[in-house]
Amino acid sequence: MSHPDRAAVIPTARLELRPLRIEHAAEMAGVLSDPGLHTFIGGAPLDATALRARYERLVAGSPDPEVAWCNWVAHARAERCLVGTVQATVSGPATDRTAEVAWVVGTPWQGRGYATEAARALVAWLAAGSVSQVIAHIHPGHRASAGVARAAGLAPTGHRQDGEVRWRAVVA
């Protein structure tokens, strides 16, 4: 499989989506420290050491050569800080790639449109990279995330996985 350029910086009006680096763990531990962020996704905030170990695995990439893990941190230019992450797991043959996407914005930066801006940029980047469909799995009670998905061009489907609604966009 021809992997997308996981090292691309994706600029938006107010953000830079920067490729994830292990060194981001310390700052991101603070960004993601609110237990409320885990209401719909489960788990609990990771400290910097645990997040660093997770980022080491993500940066190393998927052990499956047919799958690309693409991860970015969202850097708010005006505030000069990280505010969240976006990710895409890209798989499938070159002629019919699927990207499963997710996003998270730290609680202090929510409600400013950062998640929508980042998700739109991610979907556009994926579409330009020959991904044919984008999928997100969203808890049915997570209205904010559903709004982000809708703004990024995804629509809910009738499919559920682990209690979450599959959202989908055909982009190619």
Side-chain angles (χ1 to χ4, degrees):
M1 165 181 179
S2 172
H3 293 299
D5 180 7
R6 300 181 308 156
V9 172
I10 305 170
T12 73
R14 299 175 298 156
L15 302 170
E16 276 186 354
L17 303 182
R18 297 176 175 176
L20 179 71
R21 294 191 337 250
I22 297 164
E23 296 76 25
H24 290 131
E27 185 175 354
M28 287 305 301
V31 172
L32 303 175
S33 65
D34 181 0
L37 287 174
H38 298 269
T39 300
F40 295 108
I41 60 174
L46 299 176
D47 65 20
T49 301
L51 199 55
R52 182 178 181 85
R54 182 171 193 268
Y55 287 1
E56 286 172 356
R57 290 189 303 275
L58 291 174
V59 168
S62 170
D64 182 343
E66 297 299 316
V67 175
W69 293 345
C70 306
N71 296 275
W72 294 265
V73 291
H75 179 266
R77 282 192 292 275
E79 297 179 63
R80 297 182 179 174
C81 65
L82 301 180
V83 299
T85 64
V86 293
Q87 63 187 56
T89 300
V90 181
S91 60
T95 57
D96 188 27
R97 288 193 197 154
T98 295
E100 290 198 39
V101 298
W103 49 82
V104 64
V105 169
T107 304
W109 300 278
Q110 290 179 1
R112 301 183 194 185
Y114 284 146
T116 296
E117 190 172 324
R120 282 180 173 157
L122 177 60
V123 170
W125 182 84
L126 290 164
S130 71
V131 166
S132 58
Q133 70 174 337
V134 176
I135 293 171
H137 293 94
I138 300 171
H139 187 283
H142 199 326
R143 290 193 300 266
S145 200
V148 170
R150 189 171 282 110
L154 284 74
T157 69
H159 181 81
R160 289 196 181 226
Q161 180 176 325
D162 298 326
E164 294 183 323
V165 176
R166 177 178 286 171
W167 288 65
R168 181 174 179 263
V170 176
V171 294

